[in-house]
Amino acid sequence: MLKATNIHKSFGNKDVLLGLDVSVKEGEITCLIGPSGTGKTTLLRALGGLDMPDQGTLDIDGTLYTFSPTHKDTIPDPWPHITVVFQSLFLWPHLTLRENILLPARNRWDDFKAMETELDGLIASFEMAHFIDQYPNEASLGQRQRVAIARAIMVKPKYILMDEITSSLDIEQVYKILTRLEELKGRGIGILLITHQIGFAKRAADHIVFMDKGETTESGNASILTEPKTKRLKEFLSMVKMAH
Amino acid sequence: MSVLDILLKYYPAFLNGLEVTLQLSSIIWGLGLFLGTLLAVAGTKFKYWIGIPSRCFSFLLSGIPILVFLFWLHYPAQSMLNLVINPFYTAALTLTIVNIFAVADIVRSALIDFPQQYLTAAKVTGLTKKQTIFKIQLPLILRTTLPALLMLQVVMLHTTLFASLISVEEIFRVAQRINAQIYRPVEIYTALGLFFLAVSLPINGFALWLRAHFTRDISET
Ligand SMILES: Nc1ncnc2c1ncn2[C@@H]1O[C@H](COP(=O)(O)OP(=O)(O)O)[C@@H](O)[C@H]1O
Ligand SMILES: [Mg+2]
């Protein structure tokens, strides 16, 4: 399990995270929802071992790392055991999309034949065949999103953290990715998804965390999206509904 | 005597001069590019041991005309150290040092401006340090620095002419010598000018093309 407890983080004198809790279990999908600017990405970076929190505890598979203003544990590089798909994707521009996927994947597969087979499966299910040999700047945002997801899947992570990575996909593609994520769940991979697509969260999530202004406002299973208890989540859901 | 006649009559001498010029340039180009890149990389890694000292030296070097540096290494340095070095090697050493630091400056600024997100992506996908450097950083940096590096190499080719002044028998000195015999400065220096144009312009043109091409290529849309 990947678990963050009481996470605090500020940038300068701007307090962004004010004691957040979130956890990602093996074989489960946790959805993180909330208005923009509330610190979702900041939290994801802390969970991903990229930016250390100012305060709080990270539990990576039972090993505890604590952070306080006076002491910060160092985390041994957790990647690609924990991997991240960023909102702005970060595909390497000088490599073809296929090579973007294969370069890190080769480190993780002993059997290259099996790796190619796995990739072929992903290419088919994400419908990437017609652009996979192009360069990132020749692909649309939706196409690059699928490649970035495939790149993360192909490094055989135990946890994948994804930051609004389906925003430019049509419903059909979102559904396909969802299907693939559910399959990953089946393989015991833990997934954290930041998303604005409530429908997606409803269908996919085992656990939902609604955060607002750096705090967990409400959390639970998918039922909190149909019967929100807090006023803030109610407001948020009705706003999201209006926007779609 | 036309340019052609001169070339026909003196071509063995010109070829020898050309060979020396090309040998000199190859050393300067090869070592300069390789060691300059290495220096820049090492400088960002070992900031205090290599980075800062090398930038100080580079700053110092930028204040010395290349010709003065060359003459200084040719006469004072060698007499102080009680050495006599073949001027060819003195010229190669001097201009290689100049090239190393100029290359390092270009590569260093590209390293500093390197988009961090590509390194973050390398991190989270588990690329090794070596892979990150050789498969991500260097190729991308090459793309952004190649135009400037190529143009610098053309300038370095031109500075090999200074070697003639410490009596290295490169092409300019050969031209001067032949001119002293037959006094045909118009033809001889026109031919020399055309030769350098023919070598330099394609490289510079290629550099400009690369700049236009790769700048578009790498911009993330
Ligand atoms: N590196 C940073 N430096 C300064 N401020 C930051 C930095 N990263 C995020 N912030 C600030 O933290 C707040 C939360 O940002 P973010 O985590 O990206 O929110 P979200 O992902 O929920 O939209 C924002 O106000 C943002 O400006
Ligand atoms: Mg965000």
Side-chain angles (χ1 to χ4, degrees):
Chain A
M1 188 166 65
L2 195 58
K3 187 173 176 188
T5 315
N6 194 28
I7 299 293
H8 290 255
K9 176 91 185 172
S10 39
F11 295 106
N13 54 14
K14 182 169 187 189
D15 299 328
V16 176
L17 302 180
L18 306 161
L20 251 141
D21 301 331
V22 66
S23 61
V24 186
K25 293 198 184 78
E26 288 105 322
E28 284 194 12
I29 297 180
T30 298
C31 276
L32 190 58
I33 58 173
S36 56
T38 45
K40 299 185 297 296
T41 299
T42 306
L43 180 63
L44 176 136
R45 289 183 66 90
L47 265 178
L50 290 165
D51 287 327
M52 294 306 110
D54 299 332
Q55 208 179 309
T57 311
L58 275 181
D59 174 347
I60 302 179
D61 293 327
T63 312
L64 288 182
Y65 302 93
T66 58
F67 305 88
S68 73
T70 51
H71 171 83
K72 290 194 169 47
D73 282 341
T74 43
I75 303 177
D77 291 356
W79 320 288
H81 183 74
I82 301 173
T83 197
V84 182
V85 185
F86 297 95
Q87 189 170 11
S88 40
L89 305 177
F90 304 168
L91 296 173
W92 300 301
H94 61 303
L95 302 177
T96 63
L97 296 169
R98 184 192 295 276
E99 197 51 30
N100 261 277
I101 298 172
L102 286 178
L103 177 64
R106 285 190 200 101
N107 290 346
R108 304 283 293 168
W109 291 74
D110 296 322
D111 181 354
F112 282 11
K113 261 240 167 73
M115 174 181 76
E116 298 278 355
T117 310
E118 173 84 4
L119 180 57
D120 287 343
L122 276 176
I123 289 173
S125 74
F126 288 1
E127 293 171 15
M128 303 190 291
H130 59 292
F131 61 83
I132 194 74
D133 291 305
Q134 294 180 337
Y135 287 87
N137 71 321
E138 299 165 332
S140 72
L141 180 56
Q143 292 173 335
R144 281 182 282 134
Q145 283 184 336
R146 283 173 274 162
V147 171
I149 296 167
R151 178 168 74 177
I153 293 173
M154 289 295 292
V155 296
K156 298 187 185 173
K158 188 163 176 198
Y159 302 100
I160 306 185
L161 318 178
M162 301 177 160
D163 195 351
E164 295 184 36
I165 38 92
T166 53
S167 59
S168 291
L169 300 177
D170 59 40
I171 293 179
E172 216 174 312
Q173 289 165 342
V174 170
Y175 179 80
K176 279 185 178 130
I177 283 170
L178 182 65
T179 309
R180 196 40 89 130
L181 294 185
E182 278 167 348
E183 198 185 304
L184 293 177
K185 255 174 65 167
R187 292 189 215 165
I189 294 172
I191 298 168
L192 178 79
L193 270 178
I194 296 178
T195 183
H196 276 131
Q197 287 156 321
I198 299 301
F200 188 52
K202 239 180 231 164
R203 237 215 81 176
D206 298 289
H207 191 72
I208 292 171
V209 176
F210 170 65
M211 64 180 277
D212 188 23
K213 301 197 179 75
E215 288 174 309
T216 311
T217 308
E218 195 170 337
S219 66
N221 61 23
S223 69
I224 69 165
L225 296 176
T226 38
E227 294 148 31
K229 293 200 173 53
T230 57
K231 189 161 156 273
R232 202 52 202 101
L233 180 55
K234 263 180 213 148
E235 282 168 8
F236 177 74
L237 290 174
S238 66
M239 272 189 296
V240 170
K241 205 174 278 166
M242 261 172 17
H244 278 279
Chain B
M1 231 191 260
S2 71
V3 174
L4 197 63
D5 292 329
I6 297 172
L7 279 179
L8 282 177
K9 183 155 181 220
Y10 293 101
Y11 81 91
F14 273 117
L15 276 185
N16 282 340
L18 186 60
E19 198 187 336
V20 174
T21 296
L22 289 183
Q23 280 172 350
L24 196 54
S25 305
S26 313
I27 294 173
I28 296 163
W29 288 342
L31 286 180
L33 287 170
F34 178 70
L35 294 176
T37 305
L38 210 63
L39 181 65
V41 173
T44 51
K45 258 196 132 159
F46 308 102
K47 203 171 154 203
Y48 292 100
W49 289 106
I50 298 175
I52 292 173
S54 78
R55 287 176 70 179
C56 289
F57 185 76
S58 169
F59 181 66
L60 192 72
L61 206 58
S62 72
I64 308 170
I66 293 176
L67 200 51
V68 175
F69 187 43
L70 177 65
F71 272 57
W72 191 82
L73 284 182
H74 184 52
Y75 299 113
Q78 295 189 22
S79 79
M80 274 191 300
L81 296 169
N82 223 347
L83 278 174
V84 180
I85 297 171
N86 181 336
F88 176 86
Y89 293 112
T90 308
L93 176 72
T94 311
L95 298 179
T96 299
I97 290 174
V98 171
N99 199 21
I100 286 173
F101 284 92
V103 167
D105 271 337
I106 292 172
V107 176
R108 181 187 305 118
S109 58
L111 276 174
I112 291 169
D113 295 339
F114 191 84
Q116 287 303 308
Q117 66 263 29
Y118 299 137
L119 303 182
T120 307
K123 245 188 203 176
V124 298
T125 54
L127 293 193
T128 62
K129 291 256 153 61
K130 205 168 133 196
Q131 283 176 318
T132 305
I133 290 173
F134 288 102
K135 298 279 171 113
I136 307 296
Q137 243 177 330
L138 266 187
L140 278 173
I141 282 170
L142 260 186
R143 277 165 172 76
T144 51
T145 57
L146 205 57
L149 288 177
L150 283 176
M151 290 190 194
L152 173 65
Q153 299 322 299
V154 169
V155 172
M156 292 313 299
L157 169 70
H158 296 176
T159 61
T160 60
L161 265 57
F162 287 149
S164 65
L165 296 169
I166 57 168
S167 57
V168 175
E169 290 284 329
E170 47 67 81
I171 195 157
F172 186 65
R173 190 168 166 91
V174 170
Q176 279 182 307
R177 225 165 15 80
I178 293 169
N179 186 47
Q181 283 172 34
I182 59 175
Y183 198 65
R184 286 282 179 178
V186 177
E187 289 81 356
I188 290 176
Y189 292 121
T190 304
L192 198 62
L194 289 176
F195 164 73
F196 276 103
L197 274 179
V199 177
S200 309
L201 287 192
I203 300 179
N204 280 341
F206 181 54
L208 290 176
W209 178 82
L210 281 179
R211 179 169 288 167
H213 186 71
F214 281 141
T215 314
R216 191 194 56 227
D217 234 31
I218 283 182
S219 62
E220 206 174 5
T221 41

